Amino acid sequence: LFLLIKLPPPRSTLATYTTLSDLLTSNACESLEGKEGQVTIRTDVELCDEAFLRMTVGAEKLVPGTYVYMEVSDNGCGMDADTVTRMFDPFFSTKFIGRGLGLATVMGVVQSHGGGLTVKSRPGEGAVVRALFPAVGERNGFQLENNLQSHE
């Protein structure tokens, strides 16, 4: 668990983060397929440019700037490119019938708060899912110019 304590306020709520962490960590744990593995949750701030934002999923209207993110990563079974493309579709699942709404819910929650998602995964190499939310102003003395990561 890696949490930045002084996050600028995102355009989302604590309930949003709770929902996302529940759904994404559940999915990450299932990807371990009953084997020993690692699931990591990280929150931080990132300065995103236009090129980076074009790579996000479900975010056609994001503008360059400062974003607060929550990232869940695992070293589970990973996904091929086709699965990554479809993973947020309602009722799509690589599991048994009756599944497939968790990640669709993640997409809906992120979009409803003006955010976007990035996904990195390969079969056998786990996955990293990052939910990005536009940062709003300043909180607890945290200046948006301080401690920003620039994506590479």
Side-chain angles (χ1 to χ4, degrees):
L1 189 61
F2 300 95
L3 304 177
L4 185 64
I5 301 300
K6 290 186 176 182
L7 288 171
R11 197 180 305 160
S12 62
T13 64
L14 180 57
T16 301
Y17 275 99
T18 301
T19 299
L20 293 179
S21 65
D22 287 350
L23 292 169
L24 291 174
T25 54
S26 174
N27 207 59
C29 289
E30 287 180 4
S31 78
L32 300 176
E33 300 177 324
K35 300 174 187 159
E36 191 172 314
Q38 184 174 353
V39 173
T40 303
I41 301 171
R42 177 182 309 273
T43 60
D44 210 334
V45 179
E46 186 166 17
L47 189 58
C48 299
D49 63 19
E50 193 173 311
F52 178 78
L53 292 173
R54 276 194 301 268
M55 296 185 304
T56 61
V57 179
E60 299 169 8
K61 300 175 186 173
L62 296 183
V63 296
T66 304
Y67 287 79
V68 175
Y69 71 82
M70 181 178 66
E71 176 182 280
V72 177
S73 60
D74 65 70
N75 62 350
C77 61
M79 299 174 281
D80 61 26
D82 182 55
T83 301
V84 170
T85 301
R86 300 179 58 205
M87 67 188 275
F88 297 107
D89 292 350
F91 302 108
F92 174 77
S93 179
T94 59
K95 312 288 188 265
F96 52 87
I97 293 177
R99 304 291 302 267
L101 288 177
L103 293 178
T105 300
V106 166
M107 175 64 77
V109 168
V110 170
Q111 285 179 327
S112 70
H113 288 85
L117 294 152
T118 62
V119 180
K120 295 179 186 174
S121 187
R122 283 198 209 151
E125 295 183 15
V128 179
V129 179
R130 182 178 287 188
L132 298 148
F133 299 95
V136 181
E138 137 184 10
R139 173 185 270 170
N140 298 328
F142 184 97
Q143 298 291 328
L144 295 180
E145 297 79 33
N146 294 341
N147 300 322
L148 294 180
Q149 291 184 29
S150 181
H151 74 84
E152 296 177 11

